[in-house]
Amino acid sequence: MVLILDIVIYSQLANYVFTQGVIAMITNAISAGVIGSLLLLVYSKTRSKKGSLSQKD
């Protein structure tokens, strides 16, 4: 809907608006993937491993 408003209200070229939208979508997907992966990696380091606890004699 926002893309159509840019074309109608601001009289921008349709190719320009859709190209901008596709580039933004790809950039957001890559950013979310990289940041999400880093967060999951950091979070996994805080979890204890199964069997890592030892019993004192």
Side-chain angles (χ1 to χ4, degrees):
M1 184 66 174
V2 174
L3 295 176
I4 304 302
L5 289 176
D6 280 348
I7 295 168
V8 173
I9 294 173
Y10 300 116
S11 300
Q12 293 183 352
L13 297 174
N15 288 340
Y16 173 76
V17 173
F18 288 115
T19 302
Q20 186 179 13
V22 168
I23 291 172
M25 180 185 69
I26 292 170
T27 305
N28 287 340
I30 292 171
S31 298
V34 169
I35 293 170
S37 296
L38 291 174
L39 286 173
L40 286 173
L41 182 67
V42 169
Y43 177 73
S44 69
K45 300 284 184 187
T46 65
R47 309 307 303 165
S48 60
K49 307 285 188 265
K50 185 175 181 179
S52 66
L53 298 177
S54 59
Q55 188 175 22
K56 287 189 174 184
D57 292 329

